[in-house]
Amino acid sequence: QVQLVESGGGLVQAGGSLRLSCAASGIIFSIYVMGWYRQAPGEQREMVATITNGGRTNYADSVKGRFTISRDNAKNTVYLQMNSLKPEDTAVYYCNAERMYDSRYNYWGQGTQVTVSS
């Protein structure tokens, strides 16, 4: 059974920080690209950041310089460090795992709410 379990969401004031965690089980972690996506009310889900097993990262322009994605392969866990948070960052954040070169193997977590107040 594949499971992606997010944690670390919550309410924070603008300018503050949060760190999200996603613990994966039931997959061979090293062959999956891990990512964070978010969906704000009334909007489409968007990519926030991704990271390969080799550590190559990709970020949405809106978060570049503020967010950092990382992974700990020994713990089968991916993180998203979010600094200098803005109200526009308010969304449900989802953890994603996609098998390299084979998108048929694609999994999502349940999501965790991040709310940034002004």
Side-chain angles (χ1 to χ4, degrees), residues 3 7 12 22 29 42 58 63-64 66 107 117:
Q3 281 192 284
S7 61
V12 65
C22 172
F29 193 72
N58 188 37
V63 308
K64 195 169 294 184
R66 299 188 298 121
Y107 306 98
S117 65

Side-chain angles (χ1 to χ4, degrees), residues 87-104:
E88 309 95 270
D89 296 318
T90 295
V92 178
Y93 284 70
Y94 297 91
C95 181
N96 173 260
E98 184 167 309
R99 179 125 68 111
M100 290 184 65
Y101 310 114
D102 193 351
S103 62
R104 292 176 298 174

Side-chain angles (χ1 to χ4, degrees), residues 5-13 17-23 36-38 67 78-82 85 89-95 110-117:
V5 181
E6 300 104 331
S7 61
L11 175 64
V12 65
Q13 292 187 334
S17 298
L18 285 173
R19 188 168 90 143
L20 306 183
S21 298
C22 172
W36 289 97
Y37 294 71
R38 67 186 182 187
F67 291 10
V78 63
Y79 305 95
L80 185 68
Q81 178 67 46
M82 304 185 293
L85 282 161
D89 296 318
T90 295
V92 178
Y93 284 70
Y94 297 91
C95 181
Q110 289 290 306
T112 185
Q113 177 70 48
V114 171
T115 302
V116 184
S117 65

